[in-house]
Amino acid sequence: MWTLGICLLALAGPLAPVNPTVHVDDFLSVSCPAPEHCYLLDRAGNLFYSSDGGINLRLRGNHRSVQLRKLIAGGLIEAWAIDQRGGLWHSRDGGRSLEAMALPDRSAIMDIETLGSTLWLLSGKGQLFRAQGMNLYPVGSPLPGRAVDLFLASAERIAALDPASGLVYLSTDRAKTWTRSRPLGGPVKNVVMGSGPSFSMIVFMPGQVALAHNAGISFHFLALPEGVTSARPLTLLPNGNLLLGTDRGKLLLLSPKQESIHLLPRQLGSAPRAASQVGDNLIIVGDAGLLALAEIVDSKVHQIQLRNQSGLKLTGLGSPAPKVYWGVKADKQLLLSVDGGLSWKRRSPDPAVSGFSFVSAEIGYVLGQEEKVWGTRNGGLCFQELGNWPGTKLFDIHFIDQDRGWVTGDMGSLASTQDGGNSWTLHHLAGHKTLGQIQFVSPKHGWILADHNTLLSSIDGGRTWQTKLSGKGLLPTLYFVDDQTGWVGGTLGRIWHTQDAGASWTDQTAAINATVRALFFLDAERGIAVGDNGLLAVSQNGGQIWTSFHLATQTAISSLACDSEGRHCLLASDRGLRWASKFLGFFSESFQQRK
């Protein structure tokens, strides 16, 4: 019988909410052509659509080969985009497909913006164009110099800038004539103009912003708050104030009338890159899939809520029940989510948790420091110490039900219990220095990765073990769906598969040159492999064919957890908690296969 141990009600404070609906790379732009309807573009070329103001996203298409850098939606089905080389693209099916277009002057596109439902384009020759359907019409006279950034306060008031020279061009007569400012004394990054008869023009520079009032281009300067070296404009608010973002995930509010800049209290964790108003709400997107929603009340920003936070970095994940996820944070704290990953609470019984195994929403077992094992039977509110092995470093823990479990460690150490941790039987696997990941599929049949390069099998509950796979290099992970069928991940995208309990193996290498760090199979057919260099591959036929999807190559995915139906998965990466939604069906049809 367990006795009362450590109870953690005082430590159960919530963490920032996370939206795991989809995976995204760094967001580049967001465009909301109608209330609640938004398009979001990320650096990997994924185009997402939301019909509820950013709460839920669905993938519309992947345009990785095009290398888009900005997209603007002209309506619910029409969209325009520019690529890294200045090419122009048009979609008439909500971003599912793109067709290339060319400007009449045959030059590259520097920037695109919308005014109402009309798209405006700035060409490399300084000419403005207005789009009407598939046709492009020149507007006004060309700029008297080079410019790469465009801003429209109205059809009459237009600004453009040349970041390199620090020059700003202004027109108040629909681009018929242009006025050029004096050089601002340094590089400029963005330009924004307010609306109204006495509007302000704001130019962003390192460490400061330049303001010009009343349609003039005579600037004076405002310093950014202490500790802020640069900022970028995100969106104009209804009261004429401007929301700014920094590379360190801070938000600022600039008031042109009061000529003041102050920090907002909410930190975002990743750099915000763009924002768009959706009715009375605001959607903010940025690096590492940053997605935040806020309310606009009395022209002020309130209740900023993170929906996808890159700052939550986990080193392990598990899901014992629908919407229930456990994870180990980078600082070794144990976290619990009971809403599918939207919000998290601390549930650590130990200062340094290294692993866990939960068999239900309530019952689970945790590895802590000083080689301790803890158990809980009330969802982590209270933990009881169940054993410790001083001098033995523990690596993994696995339970198949509330009574039967195993713990692995160094020097060939293995411990098993048949009574929920009240008593333990110690084993020693001679000839092995390290016993790592362990999985049992039944009380008798289990598997261990030993010394990072050998797979061992037991058919008697762990009393004896036999070598089933070796000589294949580093073997970081395994996954078995029954006592006959399983997979082992290796380096260079290699995945080894057996259908006869390890008597024979088939090489099912995924077409990605990266180490496989984690595997999950819903059944003998449907599975996922993740790992280094953005490795993400899905199979629908037991690993015979792996469909690989493009993620950021600098992303290393260390673990994943999926619910029992494979409809929702979370991925833990070195860039933060990533995503999941209908992964074993929807994504296999929607993501573009990597060539």
Side-chain angles (χ1 to χ4, degrees):
M1 293 292 295
W2 288 10
T3 58
L4 182 64
I6 298 175
C7 292
L8 306 171
L9 295 178
L11 301 178
L15 297 176
V18 177
N19 180 5
T21 303
V22 290
H23 165 79
V24 290
D25 200 343
D26 298 341
F27 274 123
L28 298 177
S29 65
V30 56
S31 180
C32 301
E36 305 298 316
H37 296 271
C38 299
Y39 288 87
L40 300 90
L41 174 69
D42 76 4
R43 195 178 304 277
N46 297 315
L47 180 61
F48 299 95
Y49 170 72
S50 173
S51 60
D52 52 16
I55 296 176
N56 295 289
L57 305 182
R58 288 190 64 85
L59 184 71
R60 274 292 173 87
N62 179 278
H63 307 293
R64 178 194 178 203
S65 60
V66 181
Q67 295 185 313
L68 300 179
R69 62 181 174 93
K70 187 175 184 179
L71 180 137
I72 290 181
L76 296 182
I77 61 172
E78 186 176 38
W80 299 80
I82 49 177
D83 61 33
Q84 298 289 348
R85 298 181 178 181
L88 179 63
W89 300 84
H90 181 247
S91 174
R92 289 181 284 184
D93 56 7
R96 293 180 177 87
S97 63
L98 298 173
E99 53 186 320
M101 296 189 65
L103 285 178
D105 64 2
R106 300 296 178 182
S107 65
I109 302 292
M110 297 291 102
D111 199 7
I112 55 175
E113 290 291 343
T114 54
L115 190 62
S117 59
T118 303
L119 180 81
W120 293 63
L121 307 93
L122 174 63
S123 79
K125 296 182 179 179
Q127 178 66 54
L128 287 180
F129 290 89
R130 178 175 56 85
Q132 184 174 342
M134 293 290 291
N135 299 314
L136 300 174
Y137 300 95
V139 178
S141 301
L143 289 162
R146 179 180 180 271
V148 299
D149 195 19
L150 175 68
F151 189 88
L152 297 98
S154 67
E156 287 72 31
R157 294 196 292 269
I158 306 168
L161 66 84
D162 179 3
S165 65
L167 292 174
V168 179
Y169 301 92
L170 173 68
S171 176
T172 58
D173 58 5
R174 201 179 175 88
K176 294 178 181 177
T177 61
W178 293 93
T179 303
R180 185 173 61 182
S181 73
R182 292 179 301 169
L184 292 175
V188 296
K189 295 185 176 182
N190 302 95
V191 60
V192 174
M193 284 192 295
S195 57
S198 59
F199 65 92
S200 301
M201 183 160 58
I202 308 161
V203 180
F204 291 80
M205 306 174 65
Q208 60 185 346
V209 296
L211 292 178
H213 293 295
N214 299 320
I217 53 175
S218 177
F219 291 96
H220 61 284
F221 299 91
L222 286 178
L224 293 173
E226 184 177 356
V228 178
T229 58
S230 64
R232 67 181 59 85
L234 299 179
T235 189
L236 275 170
L237 300 177
N239 62 355
N241 290 342
L242 185 62
L243 184 67
L244 315 179
T246 75
D247 285 338
R248 295 188 176 182
K250 297 179 179 179
L251 291 175
L252 303 92
L253 198 63
L254 186 153
S255 173
K257 293 180 181 179
Q258 299 178 3
E259 297 188 355
S260 64
I261 305 174
H262 68 270
L263 283 167
L264 295 180
R266 190 67 163 104
Q267 300 292 303
L268 299 181
S270 297
R273 297 291 173 183
S276 182
Q277 294 183 48
V278 188
D280 293 330
N281 296 317
L282 190 67
I283 178 171
I284 305 168
V285 300
D287 288 356
L290 169 68
L291 175 58
L293 304 180
E295 296 180 54
I296 301 176
V297 181
D298 296 329
S299 297
K300 298 180 180 179
V301 179
H302 294 270
Q303 300 295 325
I304 301 174
Q305 297 182 349
L306 292 172
R307 304 299 295 180
N308 188 354
Q309 160 126 2
S310 64
L312 185 57
K313 296 181 179 180
L314 304 181
T315 59
L317 280 170
S319 178
K323 295 188 177 181
V324 177
Y325 287 90
W326 291 87
V328 177
K329 206 172 172 219
D331 61 3
K332 301 299 183 180
Q333 294 297 300
L334 183 66
L335 306 181
L336 168 65
S337 174
V338 295
D339 56 9
L342 292 175
S343 61
W344 295 81
K345 295 182 179 181
R346 295 179 179 89
R347 286 288 191 265
S348 279
D350 195 285
V353 171
S354 59
F356 60 86
S357 179
F358 277 78
V359 297
S360 70
E362 301 294 325
I363 301 174
Y365 302 85
V366 177
L367 294 181
Q369 68 177 4
E370 299 179 355
E371 319 319 317
K372 293 180 180 178
V373 175
W374 301 84
T376 179
R377 297 199 176 187
N378 58 6
L381 293 179
C382 296
F383 282 88
Q384 171 68 36
E385 183 180 337
L386 300 177
N388 68 86
W389 295 270
T392 301
K393 184 174 179 59
L394 303 181
F395 291 115
D396 196 21
I397 184 170
H398 179 75
F399 275 71
I400 60 172
D401 54 35
Q402 67 179 20
D403 295 321
R404 290 167 290 194
W406 297 261
V407 175
T408 62
D410 62 359
M411 306 306 295
S413 300
L414 175 67
S416 63
T417 180
Q418 300 291 318
D419 56 10
N422 288 308
S423 63
W424 293 86
T425 300
L426 300 182
H427 311 270
H428 179 73
L429 276 65
H432 297 289
K433 294 182 178 180
T434 300
L435 300 183
Q437 184 182 354
I438 182 170
Q439 182 192 6
F440 271 75
V441 294
S442 72
K444 298 291 186 181
H445 295 86
W447 308 82
I448 289 178
L449 287 175
D451 304 321
H452 310 290
N453 59 15
T454 301
L455 179 70
L456 306 178
S457 170
S458 175
I459 59 173
D460 56 11
R463 289 191 294 272
T464 62
W465 295 84
Q466 296 81 37
T467 298
K468 292 296 182 179
L469 183 65
S470 63
K472 304 298 183 182
L474 180 68
L475 301 176
T477 188
L478 64 89
Y479 198 93
F480 278 75
V481 293
D482 55 41
D483 60 356
Q484 298 292 312
T485 308
W487 297 259
V488 177
T491 58
L492 304 177
R494 303 190 78 173
I495 298 173
W496 302 94
H497 174 52
T498 181
Q499 294 178 298
D500 52 14
S504 62
W505 294 88
T506 302
D507 185 350
Q508 296 183 333
T509 299
I512 298 178
N513 185 12
T515 298
V516 180
R517 296 293 179 184
L519 293 161
F520 170 80
F521 274 79
L522 182 64
D523 50 36
E525 300 296 326
R526 295 171 290 174
I528 309 172
V530 298
D532 296 347
N533 298 332
L535 166 62
L536 172 63
V538 172
S539 178
Q540 301 285 343
N541 56 10
Q544 296 180 46
I545 298 175
W546 290 94
T547 302
S548 303
F549 303 116
H550 173 67
L551 302 183
T553 55
Q554 65 268 34
T555 299
I557 305 172
S558 60
S559 64
L560 77 158
C562 301
D563 63 21
S564 59
E565 296 180 349
R567 296 176 61 85
H568 299 282
C569 305
L570 296 184
L571 282 77
S573 79
D574 58 355
R575 302 185 69 188
L577 186 65
R578 303 305 286 178
W579 99 87
S581 180
K582 302 179 183 176
F583 193 84
L584 290 178
F586 168 66
F587 279 103
S588 64
E589 298 171 358
S590 301
F591 269 90
Q592 176 177 320
Q593 186 171 353
R594 179 182 285 177
K595 303 298 184 183

